[in-house]
Amino acid sequence: MLILFDHPVMKDLRARIQVSQAQHLYRQPRISDSPQQPVMTIDGKTILNFCSNDYLGLANHPQVIHAFQQAANQYGVGSGAAHLINGHSRLHQQLEEALASFTGRERALLFSTGYMANLAVANALMDKDDIIFQDRLNHASLIDGALMSNAKLMRYAHNDSEHLRQRMQSNSSPDAMIMTDGVFSMDGDVAPLATLAQIAQQHQAWLMVDDAHGLGVLGKTGGGLVEALQLTPTDVPILMGTLGKAFGTAGAFVAGSHDLIEYLIQVARPFIYTTAQPPAIAGATLASLELVQSEHWRREHLQQLIHYFRQGATQLGLQLMDSNTPIQPIVVGESAKALQISRRLQALGLLVVAIRPPTVPNNTARLRVTFSAAHTREQVDQLLSGLSLACGE
Ligand SMILES: *Cc1c(COP(=O)(O)O)cnc(C)c1O
């Protein structure tokens, strides 16, 4: 028998959900019956997808799947414990060493998710009297990390180094940290890292870059924004990357000096008090890291698709953003309009999600188009003709 909860608190929740529906802000997961790839089966229908973060097309790569299966045969499924108990397998260890060498840093530390890695860093390094400076458009996990740390959080205008400079000059603290996305997840533009590094050095502040969307995609060998801008570990002492995007697996890491990583291991609660990710994920990531580094054609093809799309979209008169990354948002403004276009695209067999507040600022609802090296040029043509139909009045 269905039990209906009629407690006043429950009614309040229902009312709040109804408000979000009325404001076109209600969200719901779609159900997929296929691997992450361009053509998927979603909610029972075949659809061409332009919304994943599988930028290099590795989430369903045969070598990555094979490595995952082999590791599962050898290590089973669950790690069974936290890293500091007995959940840290040899595959985790090898992956940490491989990620350190990939990013040109002394050490790397695995986390079960990027969200947790970001909570960990702010918490471990920043205290009550310290200040964390963050770009206004940073990912929610960086913001939440700062809030959880008890340090003071000050946000500066998006990519505005002058504003940051002013804020740092008029606010002093024992320790300060600048935290920024490398590639901004909802806009696709990149942080002015060289300038941020200078400012950090002048103020003897930490600089942490969350390169969730840059790693694997930018830089000659996929080393991300730091590699693309030819910055050193001294410029960017704390580098965070996620493995669920270009790497096509799951989890995240923080890379930095030996002392930084040792300290995180001792005190970072989101590292200490959680189960290690399954060893097979680490095994699969070792395989995808090889592909990230060796298969340059994936990055080149992706860049060609991005360029091709931007040309086509500009011809259609669509409002693009200042982005050369696989994140190519089309700003629409009102949430209702973004939803309407997204629904029209879906009727045409194209999946492009509408991103609405609070993920983005009010009145900047957008269609967030993302590309993968697994897309073909013909598929981009399909997207462009869909957009020309769906964006009309
Ligand atoms: C996706 C993302 C995260 C969170 O990583 P997960 O591994 O998915 O938890 C953190 N920061 C940024 C910028 C992201 O885009």
Side-chain angles (χ1 to χ4, degrees):
M1 192 187 112
L2 186 66
I3 300 172
L4 291 173
F5 290 90
D6 258 341
H7 192 281
V9 176
M10 293 294 171
K11 280 191 188 144
D12 186 38
L13 294 185
R14 217 171 302 142
R16 289 193 221 174
I17 292 167
Q18 280 159 1
V19 169
S20 92
Q21 281 167 331
Q23 295 175 338
H24 308 284
L25 299 177
Y26 183 69
R27 311 172 188 209
Q28 236 176 341
R30 300 169 180 79
I31 298 171
S32 158
D33 285 302
S34 53
Q36 184 57 260
Q37 56 192 14
V39 179
M40 297 182 70
T41 307
I42 289 189
D43 289 342
K45 295 203 181 90
T46 303
I47 198 154
L48 178 54
N49 126 60
F50 289 95
C51 53
S52 89
N53 302 314
D54 181 28
Y55 301 123
L56 297 182
L58 297 179
N60 188 35
H61 191 287
Q63 274 167 254
V64 180
I65 297 171
H66 180 71
F68 184 85
Q69 288 168 334
Q70 272 200 319
N73 286 339
Q74 193 176 350
Y75 290 88
V77 178
S79 68
H83 284 277
L84 296 178
I85 306 300
N86 72 350
H88 186 73
S89 70
R90 183 159 304 282
L91 292 175
H92 291 116
Q93 182 63 30
Q94 283 171 355
L95 179 57
E96 287 181 345
E97 288 168 18
L99 288 168
S101 121
F102 172 60
T103 56
R105 278 139 213 277
E106 287 175 0
R107 297 272 298 271
L109 184 66
L110 284 175
F111 288 84
S112 295
T113 72
Y115 192 103
M116 292 168 72
N118 283 342
L119 296 185
V121 172
N123 262 286
L125 300 178
M126 294 283 109
D127 256 323
K128 180 157 92 0
D129 299 321
D130 301 332
I131 307 186
I132 299 175
F133 296 91
Q134 294 208 19
D135 189 289
R136 196 160 272 292
L137 295 189
N138 272 355
H139 191 262
S141 55
L142 285 171
I143 308 281
D144 292 357
L147 295 176
M148 235 177 88
S149 75
N150 295 324
K152 186 166 167 188
L153 169 62
M154 298 201 81
R155 297 168 83 179
Y156 56 91
H158 176 52
N159 276 350
D160 187 342
S161 334
E162 269 320 302
H163 190 216
L164 169 63
R165 229 188 271 275
Q166 286 163 16
R167 300 220 99 174
M168 289 188 82
Q169 258 149 20
S170 45
N171 291 277
S172 68
S173 60
D175 267 320
M177 181 183 287
I178 303 170
M179 295 176 119
T180 183
D181 280 19
V183 174
F184 286 86
S185 52
M186 296 302 139
D187 290 47
D189 57 347
V190 302
L193 279 195
T195 312
L196 297 184
Q198 264 180 4
I199 298 176
Q201 278 164 24
Q202 276 162 11
H203 290 265
Q204 301 194 340
W206 288 100
L207 173 60
M208 169 176 176
V209 175
D210 169 347
D211 209 16
H213 299 276
L215 276 165
V217 173
L218 304 177
K220 249 202 168 64
T221 65
L225 186 60
V226 173
E227 184 188 24
L229 299 178
Q230 297 182 306
L231 297 174
T232 65
T234 313
D235 296 321
V236 180
I238 310 177
L239 175 64
M240 176 275 191
T242 63
L243 304 171
K245 289 167 181 156
F247 288 84
T249 60
F253 68 93
V254 172
S257 69
H258 176 81
D259 289 343
L260 171 72
I261 300 304
E262 270 309 310
Y263 188 69
L264 290 177
I265 293 172
Q266 308 313 312
V267 307
R269 295 162 68 93
F271 170 78
I272 299 171
Y273 298 105
T274 199
T275 302
Q277 61 173 209
I281 296 283
T285 308
L286 280 164
S288 77
L289 180 56
E290 295 263 315
L291 294 166
V292 164
Q293 291 175 276
S294 61
E295 299 200 342
H296 299 292
W297 68 264
R298 291 180 186 274
R299 277 180 288 280
E300 285 156 20
H301 176 59
L302 188 54
Q303 281 307 325
Q304 283 163 6
L305 294 178
I306 294 165
H307 184 70
Y308 185 67
F309 169 77
R310 287 186 67 87
Q311 274 188 329
T314 305
Q315 276 166 14
L316 291 176
L318 298 174
Q319 196 196 334
L320 296 178
M321 298 189 79
D322 178 25
S323 162
N324 291 309
T325 68
I327 302 169
Q328 291 292 329
I330 301 168
V331 176
V332 185
E334 285 172 25
S335 296
K337 177 119 188 269
L339 266 189
Q340 184 192 43
I341 297 175
S342 174
R343 287 198 184 117
R344 285 183 186 163
L345 288 170
Q346 195 163 343
L348 295 166
L350 296 160
L351 185 61
V352 179
V353 292
I355 306 282
R356 293 157 283 161
T359 308
V360 293
N362 282 333
N363 298 315
T364 68
R366 63 199 66 182
L367 296 157
R368 181 172 177 271
V369 174
T370 57
F371 293 103
S372 162
H375 283 124
T376 63
R377 193 181 263 251
E378 291 67 37
Q379 289 171 333
V380 177
D381 281 329
Q382 286 178 49
L383 172 65
L384 287 165
S385 42
L387 283 169
S388 79
L389 290 172
C391 293
E393 283 315 308

